[in-house]
Amino acid sequence: MTTIDIKALSPEQIKELLSQASPEDLKNTLQEKENQKDQDRKAYKELVNTAVPSLVGILLGLSQDLSIIKVTIFEGLRTLLDLKQDAYQVKQGQQSHSFTDDQGNGISYGFRVIDGWDDTVNAGIDKIKEVVESMAKDENSAKLVSVINKLLKKDAKGNLKSSRVLELRQLAVELNDEKFSDAVKIIQDAYKPIRSAFFIEAYTTDPQGKKVYIPLSITSVDFPEGTVIEDLFPLESEENKEAE
């Protein structure tokens, strides 16, 4: 029996073939096509199982290299920081430090801080809301209540923003209300900032005097000049979007 490659036939040839084929021939042809599909899928999965560990290994190596580079940069900058402290009596306990040279290069390093609160923050919020409920007596006080409620609005993670607490503190001074002031103090005392990731940022200066920040993550770094993105990743064209 001669094997026919369905994929090599034109639609007209397939139609002609089907009109001539017996039910048994048609069944065999469809079975061959199904078997080929199974083989293609099996081959694809085997390729994935071979390629992905290799590519992940490359990224793991990059991550390890970045870790070594990070500690090397921090060690070098700590030396500069110690010398700066001796020369200028600067404070070392701050969140970040920066260094620049005469050629327009600069580098900053330190750590990020994200807002954090203990459980007593809710007691302060509830106490403020009690005060707020007694305020909305006229248009002006209603506007004040609206401002306070916005300052008490939590973010997506359920936390207050520390910058808003500063505004609440200023409001407490202006209102001169003992209960409101005590509620703001409860919130302030509940503030427990959390130290986040340690960072490094660096830049050069181009001939026009513009700072050019150096991308230090695989997400922010550009592809080499001349790279054709479409060859690496399929992008939907504007024509196709409009057609949809």
Side-chain angles (χ1 to χ4, degrees):
M1 179 179 175
T2 302
T3 301
I4 299 174
D5 185 359
I6 294 293
K7 293 184 290 184
L9 300 179
S10 67
E12 292 76 13
Q13 290 174 320
I14 294 175
K15 184 177 180 181
E16 177 66 21
L17 179 64
L18 292 176
S19 67
Q20 298 176 1
S22 66
E24 187 64 28
D25 290 337
L26 181 58
K27 180 180 177 181
N28 291 336
T29 300
L30 293 175
Q31 184 62 48
E32 289 173 5
K33 184 177 180 180
E34 189 66 26
N35 291 341
Q36 183 62 49
K37 182 172 67 176
D38 291 341
Q39 292 175 13
D40 290 344
R41 291 178 178 178
K42 182 180 179 181
Y44 163 75
K45 291 181 179 180
E46 290 176 350
L47 181 59
V48 167
N49 289 334
T50 300
V52 169
S54 176
L55 297 174
V56 169
I58 293 172
L59 294 173
L60 181 60
L62 173 62
S63 178
Q64 292 169 343
D65 290 342
L66 284 173
S67 178
I68 294 171
I69 292 171
K70 185 172 185 175
V71 72
T72 300
I73 296 297
F74 265 74
E75 288 172 348
L77 292 175
R78 176 57 192 265
T79 300
L80 293 180
L81 184 60
D82 289 342
L83 293 173
K84 184 177 181 180
Q85 182 186 33
D86 292 341
Y88 297 97
Q89 289 77 53
V90 296
K91 182 181 178 182
Q92 287 203 355
Q94 62 199 67
Q95 280 182 225
S96 64
H97 299 276
S98 299
F99 302 90
T100 57
D101 64 14
D102 295 337
Q103 287 74 48
N105 300 305
I107 187 168
S108 299
Y109 81 127
F111 60 89
R112 313 287 187 195
V113 172
I114 57 177
D115 291 340
W117 310 83
D118 66 29
D119 60 289
T120 62
V121 69
N122 293 317
I125 292 174
D126 291 341
K127 194 166 187 176
I128 286 181
K129 288 181 177 179
E130 289 178 11
V131 178
V132 165
E133 288 176 1
S134 65
M135 285 183 175
K137 298 176 180 178
D138 53 41
E139 185 177 348
N140 289 332
S141 59
K143 289 180 180 179
L144 178 60
V145 168
S146 177
V147 170
I148 294 173
N149 285 332
K150 287 181 180 178
L151 294 177
L152 292 174
K153 187 177 180 180
K154 296 182 179 182
D155 61 20
K157 295 183 178 179
N159 288 322
L160 291 176
K161 289 187 176 181
S162 58
S163 59
R164 292 176 178 172
V165 177
L166 294 176
E167 295 182 57
L168 282 172
R169 187 169 62 184
Q170 182 59 37
L171 270 176
V173 173
E174 295 174 5
L175 292 173
N176 194 27
D177 182 282
E178 182 179 352
K179 192 172 183 179
F180 189 91
S181 297
D182 184 55
V184 172
K185 186 178 185 305
I186 291 173
I187 293 175
Q188 283 184 263
D189 292 343
Y191 184 56
K192 298 293 186 290
I194 302 170
R195 187 172 65 192
S196 184
F198 285 89
F199 72 90
I200 297 171
E201 295 175 347
Y203 64 85
T204 59
T205 302
D206 67 16
Q208 286 72 44
K210 179 182 177 182
K211 289 182 180 179
V212 180
Y213 281 88
I214 302 170
L216 298 175
S217 77
I218 199 167
T219 299
S220 59
V221 69
D222 286 333
F223 287 110
E225 186 175 350
T227 299
V228 180
I229 303 300
E230 290 78 2
D231 290 345
L232 299 176
F233 193 90
L235 299 175
E236 187 176 12
S237 66
E238 291 299 325
E239 291 80 3
N240 289 339
K241 289 182 181 179
E242 292 175 0
E244 292 179 355

